[in-house]
Amino acid sequence: MLAEVAYTRILSVSLWYHYAFMAISLALFGMAFGAVIVYVRPSWFPQERLGRSLTLLALGFALTMVVGFAVHLQLPVGPPAGVKGLGLISVIFLLLSVPFMASGVLVALALTRFPRAVGTLYAFDLVGAAVACLVFWAFIPALGGPAVIVLAGALAAGAAVCFSLRQESAALRRTATVTTLVLLALAMLNPQLKLLRMRHIKQQQGAPVEAVLEWWNVHSVVTAVPYRFSQELVWGLSSKRRQELAKQPHPGFQIDVRIDGSADTVITQYSGNPAEIAHLMEDMTFTGYALRPRSDILVIGAGGGRDVLAGLLVEASSITALEINETILEMLNGAFGDFSGHLDRNPRVKFVHDEARSWLESSDRKFDIIQMSLIDTWAATSAGAFVLAENSLYTLQAWRTFLRHLDENGVLSVTRWWWGSPPPEILRSLSLAYSALRAQGVMSPRAHVILVSNAEPDGAGQLHGLGTMLISLQPFSDDDIATVERFCQERGLTVALSPKAATIPELAQMLDPAAHDALVAGSSHDLSASTDDRPFFFNTRRFSDVMREGGGGHAAESMVLLLVLFVMVSAMCVLGLLVPLWLHERGRRRQHAVALPRGRLVGHGIYFAAIGLGFTLVEMGQMQRLTLFLGHPAYSLTTVLFCMLLATGLGSFLTGRLVVGRAPRVMVSALVMTLGVTTVMALVLPEILGALGAAPLSTRLVVAGGAVALTGVPMGVAFPLGLSLAERDVPPATPWLWATNGALSVVGSVLAVIMSIAHGITVTCAVGAACYLVAVLALLRHVRPAPTS
């Protein structure tokens, strides 16, 4: 688990953010394939030498983990594309899954060779995985991602030491001990020695190759690269203003702060002289500041402080700057505090480390301006890609919260990328504005929205740039419209949409109650207002349209990748599981061995496939839902993974003590409880979370942990119960059934994301609950008491 969670961070850096959830798939695939090896080649692991086998497997896990990771660091970095890119992804997938194959063999042996203790052993396995979440939280900031991978190898080598204590071979004991100590020392010293280091710094023109600073935390790695001032990182300029600014002398520096090596925010040098930052008000992002100067401003996503500096230029009464990534705040106000002018010491400025929705829900303050400029990231959280905290800011529920916290004439300012004509991301933003305003009782939304743009044709003739949308609960006055038009005219910008005019018909239609629904339904893009149940704002393409039409930018590339990976992992599971089973059974028949009862084998196979798929769908659905509820991806990671694993471990332990060994019907009855609790939680949990959105963080953590535990304890019943029944009915097939469970978990890790994007988190959880119903039916139909001879 420690290696798996660490790889979600590392793959987000070394490849790209939407590859990060591959860590879950490769771990589960490796574990499942290892179990197949135990099933197909049981003679490789004789019972009389089982201790030696377990020792060697643990050592193999440790060494292949570190060596495979070191090789991965030498491979090309960045988002691969095309056939060559998929080939590279396949190589990386297989390379990094090797250690998990070793651990898969090890765990399969431990669980299947000691069937009477399966409940207790599985409980310890799950509790250990839960503790790994805390270990990751504690060590990733101090050691960094590469060292945590080595630490995982050291823990595996430590397991080899434990297994070797009962062995006669002193040499094997010494080898395991030395390996543990060497890997532990490497993990502790790597932050200073940098023997294993991510090659994720993309060099800017005029910038040094090495990062000035590199900090890891539980949901990102943040690096800082200084270089001479560049107007290229002032994204909201018109081309005319950009050319003019390029001719002016700018002796100062900028610091490019990168999240996972790809998402940028800029720290601007500031000594307190407003002339140094006057260029910021040339940026269309700050149109709202010009419209409402000397206001109380709330900045969502403080980043490198540009929005704060612009607020100081317009003499804002107060500036509250929220930032979800504590490391960025530490860089801005600590390590580079002198460079940035120590904005935290300005009496008008207050920095807050929190997620915007959580903070606003617990606050009764209202603001003149709520500023949200390009708040998105290409960095994955530790919970896996597409579980992005920033997505929770682009839902109908979030925008209703923002509007409720505006003063009477307050303005919500949102800046997004403008790609294409019409631009789907801008249209979806307008769809959110339309739905949020209508929900607040506004009957004619167009009078409440102004859209400014710097988009210009690129080489392909497509408009490319930014769009800043201003939304108010009160209709914009003629003076407001004139102020915005004057601001844009002076800077070479375009008023793309106002209550009076629109440069593209679709922009006006999106805010027209008579045309809105038809435009959304007829578009090849998904322009519907994203919600907390489908919080994937940036995925503006439908899966069917992407496969039929192709193209569509990063969102479409991510969706194609998801579908390709789903096909890949499904094919690998079929080839790695069903084919070995068929070959093995055919060999048994040729040798005139007793064939396994096909009906019972099918029943148990369906059962283990169903609980493997169901567990993953429910787990990932809850992770997505609780990320929105808790407001911080780190809290979601720790709460969901830790509580889920701990609770399922407890359920497994209780099953081993109270259920396993009883009559099959009694054991199936215990599984029915799992189905009931899982179904109820899938249906009721959204209402509970919605009612407690404004509760203190401590209360929300308790509620989230309790919800996960209520689901996890009964789900922990399913695996040891099924394995005990399989040991009665089809004992030689138990490793294969364990592998089947793991393989469907692999498929589920990809399917959960696809289903949540296409149909919503509630549907994902409901399908997960339905999988347990399939498991119950499979047992009721096929499982019978084992015949006596």
Side-chain angles (χ1 to χ4, degrees):
M1 179 57 69
L2 181 60
E4 177 184 332
V5 174
Y7 268 130
T8 64
R9 300 292 335 108
I10 288 165
L11 292 179
S12 178
V13 178
S14 63
L15 294 176
W16 219 31
Y17 81 93
H18 52 239
Y19 290 81
F21 80 102
M22 267 180 50
I24 301 172
S25 299
L26 69 89
L28 292 172
F29 176 81
M31 294 283 286
F33 192 77
V36 170
I37 294 174
V38 175
Y39 171 67
V40 175
R41 290 291 182 265
S43 60
W44 291 358
F45 315 103
Q47 192 70 20
E48 63 275 10
R49 303 185 66 187
L50 186 60
R52 179 180 178 84
S53 298
L54 295 175
T55 304
L56 292 174
L57 286 166
L59 275 175
F61 178 28
L63 295 175
T64 56
M65 175 71 68
V66 177
V67 173
F69 175 62
V71 173
H72 169 61
L73 292 181
Q74 306 307 312
L75 296 177
V77 299
V83 176
K84 182 179 179 180
L86 287 177
L88 177 61
I89 289 294
S90 301
V91 170
I92 292 173
F93 190 99
L94 293 174
L95 174 69
L96 299 185
S97 66
V98 170
F100 295 105
M101 293 180 188
S103 66
V105 175
L106 192 156
V107 174
L109 286 173
L111 293 179
T112 58
R113 296 293 176 88
F114 304 96
R116 294 182 180 275
V118 64
T120 302
L121 290 172
Y122 191 52
F124 273 89
D125 179 57
L126 293 172
V127 170
V131 172
C133 299
L134 301 183
V135 173
F136 176 78
W137 180 288
F139 284 95
I140 189 72
L143 299 182
V148 169
I149 292 293
V150 180
L151 180 61
L155 290 172
V161 174
C162 296
F163 287 126
S164 69
L165 294 178
R166 301 286 298 268
Q167 306 304 309
E168 295 182 357
S169 174
L172 193 57
R173 250 190 325 272
R174 284 194 297 270
T175 301
T177 303
V178 170
T179 302
T180 303
L181 295 176
V182 169
L183 292 181
L184 190 59
L186 177 59
M188 296 299 111
L189 296 175
N190 191 68
Q192 290 75 39
L193 301 178
K194 301 187 184 302
L195 297 177
L196 296 173
R197 186 178 182 184
M198 303 296 300
R199 298 190 300 144
H200 57 269
I201 304 300
K202 303 177 182 68
Q203 187 178 5
Q204 292 274 6
Q205 184 176 3
V209 175
E210 298 296 325
V212 170
L213 195 63
E214 176 180 298
W215 284 349
W216 290 76
N217 58 37
V218 293
H219 55 91
S220 67
V221 54
V222 182
T223 55
V225 181
Y227 53 93
R228 286 284 179 182
F229 176 86
S230 170
Q231 76 277 5
E232 294 300 322
L233 290 179
V234 186
W235 296 283
L237 299 177
S238 66
S239 60
K240 177 182 177 182
R241 268 292 192 263
R242 195 178 300 279
Q243 293 169 4
E244 293 174 354
L245 190 61
K247 299 176 182 178
Q248 299 177 12
H250 284 278
F253 281 80
Q254 291 172 310
I255 296 176
D256 185 13
V257 177
R258 301 176 191 165
I259 306 167
D260 281 4
S262 55
D264 296 76
T265 184
V266 177
I267 299 177
T268 302
Q269 188 172 14
Y270 181 57
S271 66
N273 180 7
E276 296 175 348
I277 56 173
H279 64 276
L280 290 178
M281 285 309 296
E282 300 295 318
D283 193 320
M284 55 164 278
T285 302
F286 304 117
T287 307
Y289 289 10
L291 185 63
R292 298 284 188 267
R294 294 177 292 280
S295 299
D296 292 320
I297 299 174
L298 174 68
V299 175
I300 297 177
R306 292 177 70 253
D307 300 77
V308 175
L309 288 172
L312 294 177
L313 275 176
V314 297
E315 300 178 349
S317 302
S318 69
I319 305 172
T320 303
L322 305 177
E323 175 56 52
I324 194 173
N325 195 325
E326 186 176 19
T327 299
I328 292 179
L329 289 181
E330 292 171 352
M331 281 186 167
L332 175 64
N333 298 318
F336 297 109
D338 293 338
F339 179 88
S340 64
H342 274 293
L343 300 176
D344 57 322
R345 298 177 184 175
N346 190 303
R348 289 183 289 163
V349 179
K350 179 182 179 182
F351 287 95
V352 179
H353 171 226
D354 206 341
E355 193 272 337
R357 286 182 64 179
S358 301
W359 188 85
L360 281 171
E361 291 283 4
S362 60
S363 172
D364 57 0
R365 283 195 62 182
K366 290 181 180 287
F367 300 89
D368 299 306
I369 299 175
I370 296 180
Q371 176 83 0
M372 193 162 68
S373 307
L374 295 176
I375 304 304
D376 62 80
T377 178
W378 295 337
T381 73
S382 299
F386 297 97
V387 190
L388 302 179
E390 287 76 8
N391 280 14
S392 68
L393 301 178
Y394 297 94
T395 69
L396 174 59
Q397 292 81 358
W399 285 34
R400 292 188 64 183
T401 298
F402 299 155
L403 293 178
R404 287 197 302 269
H405 283 80
L406 289 176
D407 270 329
E408 182 179 359
N409 290 310
V411 173
L412 170 62
S413 174
V414 180
T415 300
R416 292 302 321 149
W417 294 105
W418 184 304
W419 287 323
S421 181
E425 195 169 298
I426 294 295
L427 288 178
R428 196 168 202 186
S429 300
L430 288 171
S431 181
L432 269 174
Y434 172 88
S435 300
L437 287 168
R438 295 277 288 184
Q440 296 299 116
V442 175
M443 302 308 296
S444 301
R446 182 171 175 181
H448 300 251
V449 178
I450 296 176
L451 176 64
V452 176
S453 172
N454 70 342
E456 297 180 358
D458 58 15
Q462 291 291 316
L463 291 178
H464 185 275
L466 296 179
T468 294
M469 182 166 49
L470 306 178
I471 309 165
S472 175
L473 287 173
Q474 299 296 324
F476 284 110
S477 66
D478 290 341
D479 288 343
D480 290 334
I481 298 171
T483 299
V484 172
E485 289 176 342
R486 185 166 54 253
F487 178 90
C488 293
Q489 185 177 13
E490 293 172 354
R491 291 159 177 80
L493 303 170
T494 301
V495 180
L497 174 69
S498 73
K500 297 181 177 180
T503 57
I504 299 176
E506 289 86 350
L507 300 177
Q509 293 169 11
M510 187 58 73
L511 298 177
D512 184 355
H516 174 86
D517 291 345
L519 178 59
V520 171
S523 175
S524 60
H525 294 267
D526 185 358
L527 303 180
S528 61
S530 48
T531 65
D532 282 355
D533 193 55
R534 291 183 64 217
F536 303 96
F537 169 83
F538 303 109
N539 289 280
T540 56
R541 300 301 302 269
R542 299 181 180 91
F543 282 106
S544 56
D545 294 331
V546 167
M547 296 305 293
R548 183 173 61 253
E549 301 172 9
H554 296 307
E557 292 174 7
S558 301
M559 297 172 82
V560 170
L561 172 72
L562 279 172
L563 295 174
V564 171
L565 283 179
F566 179 73
V567 173
M568 284 177 58
V569 298
S570 299
M572 292 170 73
C573 289
V574 169
L575 294 176
L577 292 172
L578 298 182
V579 172
L581 173 66
W582 177 73
L583 293 175
H584 188 62
E585 284 301 298
R586 189 175 70 168
R588 286 170 58 87
R589 292 190 186 95
R590 285 180 177 177
Q591 298 170 7
H592 304 289
V594 178
L596 297 176
R598 181 168 298 179
R600 293 183 182 179
L601 182 60
V602 169
H604 284 290
I606 293 174
Y607 172 84
F608 276 94
I611 65 172
L613 182 61
F615 182 90
T616 306
L617 292 178
V618 172
E619 179 188 36
M620 294 195 70
Q622 284 196 333
M623 196 175 296
Q624 291 166 330
R625 180 167 284 150
L626 290 177
T627 295
L628 299 176
F629 178 61
L630 296 176
H632 198 295
Y635 297 144
S636 173
L637 167 73
T638 304
T639 302
V640 176
L641 285 183
F642 177 75
C643 292
M644 177 69 78
L645 292 167
L646 198 63
T648 50
L650 176 61
S652 177
F653 180 78
L654 294 176
T655 302
R657 291 298 182 92
L658 304 177
V659 180
V660 170
R662 297 182 180 273
R665 295 289 179 176
V666 174
M667 300 167 75
V668 173
S669 298
L671 185 62
V672 173
M673 178 186 69
T674 300
L675 171 65
V677 174
T678 305
T679 303
V680 169
M681 289 306 299
L683 298 177
V684 175
L685 186 58
E687 300 299 325
I688 297 175
L689 300 184
L692 295 173
L697 176 61
S698 57
T699 301
R700 284 181 282 128
L701 285 171
V702 171
V703 170
V708 171
L710 282 174
T711 307
V713 170
M715 287 173 69
V717 171
F719 181 81
L721 184 152
L723 204 60
S724 178
L725 287 171
E727 184 64 28
R728 293 184 179 196
D729 286 353
V730 285
T734 51
W736 180 79
L737 295 172
W738 161 244
T740 300
N741 178 268
L744 267 295
S745 297
V746 176
V747 175
S749 67
V750 186
L751 183 62
V753 179
I754 294 175
M755 290 184 62
S756 294
I757 292 175
H759 303 292
I761 297 171
T762 298
V763 170
T764 301
C765 292
V767 172
C771 289
Y772 282 89
L773 175 61
V774 172
V776 171
L777 295 176
L779 287 189
L780 289 176
R781 179 173 178 81
H782 293 287
V783 174
R784 301 289 185 271
T788 58
S789 56

